[in-house]
């Protein structure tokens, strides 16, 4: 009885698999293969006896090790997703004949998950699950920005803006230097004397080269991105006022000079092309200097000045450079063929003349391009101080040789008769000279709106820095600037006095005073800084004071060098 009871209790303690014994009481377990867990495409794995937890060779006291399964195989109540916060896609249900495969997939091990994805792709048929996700989707902010027609990445991203190499940067700076001021270089030599003029041209070129680079260095030291911001950082409101006045005066002086050049060039071309035009009713106005200034400035330059964006005038720089080359070639070639009665004397002007300070102003007017230095620096593909220094050296050196060739050719030909616009010294019936005049006059008509844009922007930034664009204010400012420059050009026909006055005031401030002052403020005040920078500031202030006094006295006395006002 006790033996039978113990036998029954032992049977109850055994697992169901252990109760399947043979009739001889053999303790061996009846081994049955587990149900296939893999996909139909793979054969079931072979039964491994060594891994059976109920084998006689294994300690039966240990519980059976659970089989590791994928999270895909875990059943979830009410169809709760495994990852509720993940983006899910509705996949079309597969045909019912694959139901057995879905049932077998519920107990798939982790090692077979890759096979699961392969089977899902095969069942979908179109392979859509293997395509990259969200390839045609855009973020809401990106989609909103791209829907805006006015969106321009170049306005917001510095890396998206077009960049230029060393050659293009050199061309831009050289074009900024070799401008209208080159036409007055023979007049500067007349004012200073031949030897003194050469020394001044070389010395001022070296000084301007240094101060152009100082603007970029000051910008690096102050963290500002413009000449105006650097001045405001160093000297506050008064610094902003100083740089604004200097830039406005230089640009407005350029507008006056351009109007005078139009009156000095276009009438000569008209008389040469149409000799009988002077005797025709109404059309004779095309041969009159003042009438030509009014008609061409208000008919061509004024409408172009009304543009808000100067991108429409971007090709004017190419015309300017071509016209400058034509003028230099014309003065050199045609100067040797000028009649003797038009030549002047150079015997008393070989060393030095009293007008040295006026000559400094004329040369400075030609070389000032400081307001464009940071723009040219930022246009480099690799903007570094060394690369910008090479661009500056090449540009100022080439410009110096161009100005020297023009000055020597004009002054050695006309001597003490040299006018502020050397083209006025040539006869009116010279074909090549008239071509140069036409190119120069048309160039001024398209360049005047650029100077008007600078004046208007300075006024807008100073008086209305936070106000939106106003069309009425824009038109009033543009009209006032063009009319004022045109009226002043009608009152004087001496281009030399304009070069002198503008060069002595705004050009000296932009080139010799303001950049060294910022450098002294931002740098360590050692003798290596104070000596060159302080000397440059003192030189600029002295030249400004003396030149302004001499120019004003010249205007009061009514002295003029021009003979073509009629």
């Amino acid at each position: 009885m006790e033996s039978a009871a113990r036998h029954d209790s032992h049977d109850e303690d055994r697992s169901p698999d252990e109760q399947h014994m043979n009739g001889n009481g053999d303790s061996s377990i009846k081994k049955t293969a587990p149900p296939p867990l893999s996909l139909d495409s793979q054969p079931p794995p072979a039964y491994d006896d060594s891994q059976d937890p109920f084998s006689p060779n294994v300690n039966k006291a240990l519980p059976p090790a659970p089989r590791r399964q994928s999270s895909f195989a875990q059943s979830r109540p009410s169809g709760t997703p495994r990852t509720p916060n993940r983006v899910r896609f509705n996949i079309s249900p597969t045909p019912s004949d694959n139901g057995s495969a879905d049932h077998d997939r519920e107990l798939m091990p982790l090692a077979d998950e890759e096979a699961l994805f392969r089977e899902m792709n095969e069942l979908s048929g179109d392979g859509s699950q293997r395509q990259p996700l969200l390839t045609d989707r855009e973020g809401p902010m990106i989609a909103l920005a791209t829907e805006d027609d006015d969106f321009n990445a170049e306005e917001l991203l510095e890396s998206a803006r077009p960049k230029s190499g060393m050659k293009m940067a050199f061309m831009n700076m050289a074009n900024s230097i070799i401008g209208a001021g080159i036409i007055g270089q023979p007049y500067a030599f007349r004012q200073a004397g031949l030897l003194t003029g050469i020394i001044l041209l070389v010395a001022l070129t070296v000084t301007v080269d240094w101060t152009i680079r100082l603007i970029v260095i000051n910008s690096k030291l102050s963290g500002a991105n413009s000449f105006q911001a650097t001045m405001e950082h160093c000297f506050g409101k008064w610094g902003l006022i100083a740089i604004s006045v200097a830039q406005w005066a230089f640009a407005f002086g350029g507008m006056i000079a351009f109007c005078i050049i139009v009156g000095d060039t276009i009438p000569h071309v008209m008389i040469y092309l149409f000799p009988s035009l002077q005797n025709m009713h109404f059309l004779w106005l095309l041969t009159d200097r003042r009438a030509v200034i009014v008609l061409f400035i208000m008919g061509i330059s004024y409408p172009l000045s009304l543009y808000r964006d100067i991108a429409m005038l971007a090709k004017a720089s190419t015309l300017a450079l071509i016209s400058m080359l034509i003028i230099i070639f014309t003065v050199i070639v045609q100067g040797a063929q000028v009649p003797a009665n038009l030549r002047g004397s150079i015997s008393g002007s070989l060393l030095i003349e009293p007008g040295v300070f006026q000559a400094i102003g004329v040369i400075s007017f030609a070389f000032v391009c400081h307001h464009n230095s940071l723009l040219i620096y930022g246009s480099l593909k690799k903007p570094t101080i060394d690369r910008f220094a090479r661009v500056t050296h090449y540009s100022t050196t080439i410009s110096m040789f161009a100005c020297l060739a023009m000055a020597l050719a004009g002054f050695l030909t006309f001597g003490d008769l040299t006018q502020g616009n050397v083209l006025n010294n040539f006869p009116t019936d010279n074909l090549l000279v008239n071509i140069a005049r036409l190119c120069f006059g048309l160039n001024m008509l398209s360049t005047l709106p650029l100077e008007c844009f600078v004046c208007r922007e300075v006024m807008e930034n100073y008086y209305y820095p936070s106000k939106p664009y106003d069309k009425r204010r824009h038109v009033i400012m543009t009209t006032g600037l063009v009319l004022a420059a045109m009226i002043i050009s009608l009152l004087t026909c001496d281009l030399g006095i304009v070069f002198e006055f503008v060069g002595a005031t705004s050009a000296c401030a932009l080139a010799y005073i303001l950049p060294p002052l910022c450098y002294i403020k931002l740098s360590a005040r050692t003798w290596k800084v104070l000596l060159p920078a302080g000397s440059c500031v003192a030189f600029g202030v002295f030249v400004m004071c003396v030149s302004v006094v001499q120019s004003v006295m010249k205007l009061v006395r009514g002295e003029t060098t021009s003979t073509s006002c009629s």
Side-chain angles (χ1 to χ4, degrees):
M1 293 288 293
E2 293 177 1
S3 176
R6 285 194 301 269
H7 182 73
D8 294 339
S9 62
H10 182 69
D11 291 343
E12 292 176 358
D13 295 336
R14 292 182 301 174
S15 62
D17 292 335
E18 294 181 273
Q19 297 178 8
H20 292 282
M21 295 183 179
N22 52 18
N24 298 327
D26 190 0
S27 61
S28 62
I29 300 174
K30 183 178 180 182
K31 301 177 179 61
T32 58
L37 299 180
S38 61
L39 300 175
D40 296 339
S41 59
Q42 298 181 358
Y47 182 76
D48 188 0
D49 183 73
S50 62
Q51 301 298 326
D52 190 355
F54 301 103
S55 175
N57 298 325
V58 180
N59 188 4
K60 295 183 179 181
L62 296 176
R67 188 184 301 275
R68 185 183 178 191
Q69 294 181 347
S70 168
S71 59
F72 287 96
Q74 298 176 6
S75 59
R76 300 181 182 275
S78 66
T80 303
R82 179 172 61 91
T83 53
N85 294 328
R86 180 175 296 180
V87 178
R88 308 183 68 83
F89 299 92
N90 294 326
I91 303 176
S92 302
T94 56
S96 58
D97 55 351
N98 295 324
S100 59
D102 296 337
H103 175 73
D104 294 339
R105 196 182 305 125
E106 294 180 358
L107 301 177
M108 181 170 296
L110 180 63
D112 293 334
E113 286 189 9
E114 186 66 24
L116 170 64
F117 288 113
R118 288 198 300 268
E119 182 183 348
M120 291 174 62
N121 293 332
E122 293 174 358
L123 295 177
S124 62
D126 56 355
S128 59
Q129 294 298 315
R130 302 299 295 176
Q131 300 297 327
L133 300 180
L134 302 178
T135 54
D136 57 347
R137 300 292 192 271
E138 290 179 338
M141 297 304 295
I142 299 176
L144 180 61
T146 53
E147 288 177 359
D148 188 2
D149 294 336
D150 298 332
F151 174 75
N152 187 5
E154 296 181 3
E155 297 179 356
L156 304 177
L157 301 178
E158 182 67 25
S159 58
R161 297 175 183 174
K163 301 294 183 179
S164 61
M166 297 282 287
K167 293 182 179 179
M168 286 302 301
F170 158 74
M171 294 294 293
N172 290 332
M173 181 172 287
N175 184 42
S176 299
I177 297 174
I178 307 176
I182 196 175
I183 203 71
Q185 297 309 299
Y187 175 76
F189 274 38
R190 175 201 166 181
Q191 293 289 89
L194 181 61
L195 181 61
T196 306
I198 295 175
I199 295 175
L200 284 177
L201 184 59
V202 175
L204 293 179
T205 300
V206 175
T207 305
V208 167
D209 179 280
W210 179 61
T211 56
I212 289 174
R213 290 182 285 118
L214 271 188
I215 292 179
V216 177
I217 295 174
N218 293 336
S219 176
K220 293 288 186 180
L221 294 175
S222 64
N225 59 357
S226 65
F227 199 178
Q228 296 93 321
T230 302
M231 286 291 298
E232 187 175 11
H233 174 84
C234 295
F235 305 105
K237 182 179 179 181
W238 288 107
L240 180 61
I241 293 175
I243 185 62
S244 299
V245 171
Q247 287 188 327
W248 186 90
F250 185 78
F252 187 72
M255 293 177 64
I256 297 173
F258 299 159
C259 291
I260 294 175
I261 292 173
V262 169
D264 288 345
T265 55
I266 301 298
H268 292 288
V269 177
M270 291 295 181
I271 294 173
Y272 176 78
L273 295 177
F274 309 102
S276 59
L277 203 62
Q278 292 177 300
N279 301 323
M280 294 184 179
H281 295 286
F282 184 75
L283 294 180
W284 67 269
L285 292 174
L286 296 177
T287 64
D288 182 77
R289 175 186 175 274
R290 293 180 176 86
V292 166
I293 290 176
V294 174
L295 292 175
F296 280 81
I297 295 300
M298 298 305 296
I300 298 177
S301 297
Y302 175 64
L304 293 176
S305 301
L306 291 173
Y307 279 113
R308 290 183 59 191
D309 190 359
I310 60 175
M312 299 291 294
L313 307 173
K315 295 182 180 180
S317 60
T318 303
L319 177 61
L321 191 59
I322 294 175
S323 64
M324 291 302 110
L325 295 177
I326 293 176
I327 292 170
I328 296 173
F329 176 78
T330 300
V331 174
I332 295 175
V333 173
Q334 297 298 314
Q337 305 176 13
V338 171
N341 61 326
L342 297 179
R343 294 177 179 269
S345 174
I346 62 172
S347 58
S349 305
L350 294 178
L351 296 179
I352 189 170
E353 289 291 319
V356 173
F357 295 100
Q358 291 101 317
I360 293 175
V362 175
I363 296 174
S364 300
F365 182 90
F367 273 84
V368 167
C369 64
H370 295 63
H371 53 292
N372 293 329
S373 57
L374 285 175
L375 297 176
I376 298 173
Y377 171 78
S379 68
L380 290 172
K381 292 181 180 179
K382 296 179 181 179
T384 63
I385 298 295
D386 293 337
R387 290 170 61 85
F388 182 74
R390 290 202 300 271
V391 171
T392 305
H393 295 334
Y394 295 151
S395 302
T396 53
T397 302
I398 296 299
S399 301
M400 182 192 70
F401 283 114
C403 291
L404 186 61
M406 176 69 120
L408 291 176
F411 177 69
L412 293 177
T413 300
F414 301 106
D416 57 353
L417 298 179
T418 305
Q419 300 185 36
N421 184 353
V422 71
L423 294 179
N424 289 340
N425 287 100
F426 289 91
T428 58
D429 58 350
N430 190 304
L431 175 61
L432 187 57
V433 172
N434 282 310
I435 293 176
R437 285 171 176 155
L438 179 62
C439 294
F440 199 32
L442 295 178
N443 177 33
M444 295 301 100
L445 289 174
S446 61
T447 307
L448 187 144
L450 301 178
E451 301 299 330
C452 182
F453 176 84
V454 174
C455 292
R456 189 174 60 232
E457 284 300 303
V458 170
M459 296 169 65
E460 287 277 0
N461 294 333
Y462 184 79
Y463 292 107
Y464 312 99
S466 59
K467 292 187 177 181
Y469 167 76
D470 183 78
K471 185 176 181 180
R472 181 180 179 182
R473 184 174 70 241
H474 174 85
V475 174
I476 292 175
M477 283 186 177
T478 304
T479 305
L481 289 169
V482 174
L483 287 177
M486 184 184 67
I487 291 173
I488 295 175
S489 67
L490 296 175
L491 299 178
T492 178
C493 55
D494 188 359
L495 186 62
I497 194 65
V498 176
F499 285 156
E500 290 177 10
F501 193 79
V502 176
T505 53
S506 58
C508 281
L510 291 172
Y512 311 127
I513 300 176
L514 299 182
L517 275 179
C518 291
Y519 189 57
I520 294 174
K521 182 75 172 180
L522 297 170
S523 303
R525 297 187 179 182
T526 62
W527 67 271
K528 293 182 178 180
V529 174
L530 294 178
L531 183 60
S535 301
C536 188
V537 172
F539 168 76
V541 172
F542 182 72
V543 169
M544 176 185 292
C545 296
V546 176
S547 299
V548 168
V549 171
Q550 290 183 346
S551 299
V552 171
M553 292 178 62
K554 192 174 181 178
L555 287 174
V556 171
R557 291 194 300 262
E559 297 179 3
T560 179
T561 61
S562 179
T563 59
S564 61
C565 286
S566 58

